[in-house]
Amino acid sequence: METQIAVEFLDQKIPETGTIVLLVASKKKWGASLKKLDKQSGGQISKAMAVSSFEGEKNDSVEIVSPANLELSRLIILGLGDAGIEETSDWMKVGGRVSGLVKSDPTGTVTVLVEDIGKDLAFRAENIAAIATGFLMKRYDFNLYKTTGKSVDKKGQIKTLALACRDPKKVTKAYQSLDALRAGVFMARDLVNEPGNILGPVEFALRARELEKLGVNVTILDESEMAAKGMNALLAVGQGSERESRLAIMQWNGAENSKEKPLAIVGKGVTFDTGGISIKPPGGMEDMKGDMGGAACVTGLMRTLALRKAKANVIGVIGLTENMPDGKAQRPGDVVTSMSGQTIEVINTDAEGRLVLADALTFTIGTYNPRLVIDLATLTGAILVALGKEYAGLFSNNDRLANRLLKAGDKTGEKLWRMPLGKKYDKLIDSRIADMKNMGGRFAGASTAAQFLQRYVGNTPWAHLDIAGTGMASPKSDISSSWGSGFGVQLLNEFIAQNYE
Ligand code: BES
Ligand code: MN
Ligand code: ZN
């Protein structure tokens, strides 16, 4: 859902109508705008601040509805505190909080003023741009299928977000790349939020196809093309579905040297996971429309990279399929030969994501010889048990890659926690009749799943992000109220920008 809100950057001045949100830092240093407004209102504002003991502490706010002698609908004063707002992601959170404070306005316009308290930080172009981005991120609302109710009620809807700043040109420039990030996050959210009947593998592939408009090279393999390549593991997952499987490849060649080895990002795209013949219990099964969170992240990321014309060569590959029980579905005990030639005994048809990724990884590494590969997947319930919704699980065969990802996670707030791999875990997936089985028993389920994937990456530097806890059914945060938060787009965009451009 694209944003309907226009963003404007203005020279520092106080508007006469609409809602003003004034950002202030600390009580001793009220700046010129606040003093002026207070004087105009006959001291009503300082009275309101005194009554609510407002001292500019971080996240504290006061709201004055139709302040005296002014045409404003509302004046909201939001405290920034004195420290700790350093990263772009922190400024995005400020924007998110502004959004939370402004439900509606009769004029449809909200203006954010940063009070001049002699601290340059709040005036840095990137930070002002991040406030705008955070505002829009928090306001994202997936209401495609709502015909009544608040989220479709147009009354008082915010149509314009204005930000007063010192150098609008500079802020506009900084905003462009953040807005590309926002657009990628929105795409990922849309994909995760769509229900399984609307977004199957074929429909998802068409959404990826739309990136061609932005200069991304998109190739889509259908089932016969995948069969010809021997992708039997991926195809086995989809064989119980009426819908066809797809593999979509998105290439962005932005590096100065177009021959430079690409970075590869691979995503699990199970558009609905019933579990197959090893069917899941009904409670909460509807959430399994989000079992394509990895693929959604990859697609959103490619959109961001193309929109901001990233100077890197990146390949996104997504394995798209639907896991259904049916007369044609695979059964527990089946043995399939993956594209790599390795054979898999399917113990549990609900451990389907690793089958999809096995072939997607083999294809990606074999075809593009990438300098590294990162996969994202809503892979295991076990990672939720271990880390909840706070961190995604990070597994890697390469410390440098792992550390770079951890750092990008800290910076963006899309946090990762490194989890163990090892020979003993690997042994747990040896099979009696095939090269491996697709599950390793009750314990260390996230690690045995990662171990399975590692058997398909050889020596390529590789990281696996298990986003089962973070990629779907997300709790509300400072910058998201969406069920699908778009996890991973910010993280990987930062990872690429910091290390490969
Ligand atoms: N898509 C699920 C994992 C999942 C669980 C994602 C909860 C999001 C929330 C995956 O395909 C799955 O079913 N994994 C099984 C593996 C098991 C059978 C070895 C699991 O985690 O229970
Ligand atoms: Mn499953
Ligand atoms: Zn799944």
Side-chain angles (χ1 to χ4, degrees):
M1 311 263 317
E2 249 323 318
T3 175
Q4 301 299 316
I5 301 172
V7 174
E8 293 172 359
F9 300 108
L10 312 168
D11 286 321
Q12 188 82 7
K13 67 167 187 268
I14 303 175
E16 288 177 357
T17 58
T19 296
I20 292 183
V21 180
L22 188 60
L23 306 181
V24 302
S26 94
K27 71 166 178 182
K28 282 147 232 123
K29 296 177 253 170
W30 302 138
S33 318
L34 186 53
K35 282 186 194 142
K36 192 168 166 197
L37 287 162
D38 189 40
K39 200 167 164 203
Q40 284 175 346
S41 72
Q44 189 195 11
I45 294 164
S46 44
K47 235 182 263 168
M49 294 199 297
V51 167
S52 41
S53 313
F54 178 83
E55 306 201 331
E57 292 293 301
K58 194 167 168 180
N59 297 342
D60 273 3
S61 63
V62 205
E63 175 174 354
I64 301 133
V65 179
S66 62
N69 312 323
L70 295 166
E71 291 297 306
L72 297 172
S73 9
R74 282 185 174 78
L75 173 66
I76 298 169
I77 307 169
L78 174 62
L80 298 179
D82 265 329
I85 310 183
E86 276 145 38
E87 302 289 353
T88 301
S89 59
D90 297 324
W91 286 100
M92 277 165 47
K93 287 181 190 169
V94 171
R97 271 183 227 113
V98 170
S99 174
L101 290 169
V102 188
K103 295 281 174 295
S104 63
D105 181 276
T107 71
T109 298
V110 44
T111 305
V112 177
L113 292 176
V114 186
E115 187 62 294
D116 189 350
I117 42 104
K119 270 196 183 172
D120 267 0
L121 205 57
F123 288 98
R124 273 192 42 201
E126 291 73 28
N127 297 342
I128 300 275
I131 295 172
T133 305
F135 183 96
L136 298 188
M137 289 256 217
K138 179 68 181 173
R139 237 174 168 79
Y140 170 96
D141 178 25
F142 189 79
N143 64 5
L144 264 185
Y145 307 111
K146 289 256 192 206
T147 64
T148 59
K150 247 182 46 207
S151 86
V152 284
D153 181 8
K154 297 260 184 290
K155 227 169 79 196
Q157 247 182 32
I158 303 300
K159 294 191 205 79
T160 307
L161 169 67
L163 291 101
C165 54
R166 283 178 181 166
D167 189 345
K169 265 213 188 110
K170 212 168 151 199
V171 180
T172 304
K173 188 132 187 287
Y175 182 64
Q176 274 168 4
S177 99
L178 276 178
D179 199 50
L181 176 60
R182 181 205 54 76
V185 170
F186 278 23
M187 183 176 202
R189 288 178 180 179
D190 284 351
L191 290 164
V192 176
N193 288 331
E194 284 285 10
N197 62 328
I198 305 286
L199 195 82
V202 173
E203 294 80 14
F204 195 132
L206 291 176
R207 300 272 185 113
R209 175 74 83 199
E210 284 173 24
L211 297 181
E212 277 180 340
K213 289 184 212 135
L214 304 177
V216 178
N217 212 317
V218 181
T219 312
I220 295 166
L221 304 187
D222 64 18
E223 288 197 341
S224 59
E225 290 164 310
M226 284 191 274
K229 293 190 187 298
M231 299 183 154
N232 301 311
L234 190 157
L235 290 169
V237 174
Q239 79 192 30
S241 169
E242 287 290 322
R243 291 156 150 195
E244 283 206 15
S245 301
R246 292 285 185 266
L247 189 88
I249 303 121
M250 297 162 272
Q251 286 178 268
W252 172 254
N253 271 327
E256 259 154 49
N257 172 6
S258 67
K259 295 262 146 46
E260 193 178 283
K261 271 182 157 197
L263 311 168
I265 320 286
V266 174
K268 169 181 173 182
V270 175
T271 59
F272 195 81
D273 179 16
T274 64
I277 295 301
S278 315
I279 199 162
K280 289 179 182 295
M285 204 208 273
E286 67 280 8
D287 280 358
M288 285 302 133
K289 71 171 186 178
D291 206 16
M292 25 56 72
C297 170
V298 174
T299 312
L301 174 71
M302 298 308 293
R303 185 175 192 213
T304 291
L305 296 176
L307 281 171
R308 70 173 182 80
K309 304 209 166 20
K311 289 193 166 40
N313 292 344
V314 183
I315 301 210
V317 177
I318 53 180
L320 301 165
T321 188
E322 185 181 55
N323 189 20
M324 292 293 241
D326 175 81
K328 295 203 190 85
Q330 62 175 340
R331 28 187 122 41
D334 281 5
V335 173
V336 295
T337 303
S338 64
M339 183 181 177
S340 72
Q342 300 179 92
T343 55
I344 304 162
E345 182 189 8
V346 179
I347 300 293
N348 188 319
T349 65
D350 196 12
E352 85 296 342
R354 61 201 79 180
L355 303 183
V356 173
L357 288 174
D359 282 345
L361 287 166
T362 302
F363 169 81
T364 303
I365 293 169
T367 312
Y368 302 103
N369 185 27
R371 57 197 286 190
L372 59 84
V373 58
I374 299 168
D375 76 75
L376 297 100
T378 47
L379 203 63
T380 68
I383 203 70
L384 259 158
V385 174
L387 303 175
K389 290 171 182 277
E390 272 303 294
Y391 293 86
L394 161 66
F395 300 83
S396 181
N397 61 5
N398 184 297
D399 289 344
R400 196 160 89 125
L401 170 57
N403 289 332
R404 286 178 166 181
L405 284 165
L406 286 167
K407 198 167 160 203
D410 286 341
K411 227 174 142 70
T412 56
E414 293 187 330
K415 292 180 292 179
L416 305 175
W417 195 268
R418 192 159 180 192
M419 301 285 288
L421 290 164
K423 281 211 177 70
K424 289 271 168 68
Y425 293 126
D426 184 72
K427 210 164 160 24
L428 297 175
I429 55 167
D430 284 340
S431 158
R432 277 189 298 147
I433 75 159
D435 296 332
M436 69 197 83
K437 51 188 184 180
N438 78 332
M439 66 176 286
R442 231 161 74 76
F443 301 128
S447 285
T448 50
Q451 221 56 70
F452 184 100
L453 301 180
Q454 192 172 10
R455 291 193 184 199
Y456 292 86
V457 299
N459 295 323
T460 306
W462 157 75
H464 156 57
L465 308 182
D466 193 335
I467 60 168
T470 52
M472 45 171 274
S474 307
K476 290 196 161 81
S477 76
D478 287 322
I479 56 164
S480 173
S481 309
S482 173
W483 187 84
S485 64
F487 184 93
V489 177
Q490 298 182 71
L491 169 83
L492 293 179
N493 181 58
E494 176 70 23
F495 167 79
I496 291 169
Q498 278 302 316
N499 302 296
Y500 303 97
E501 290 185 59

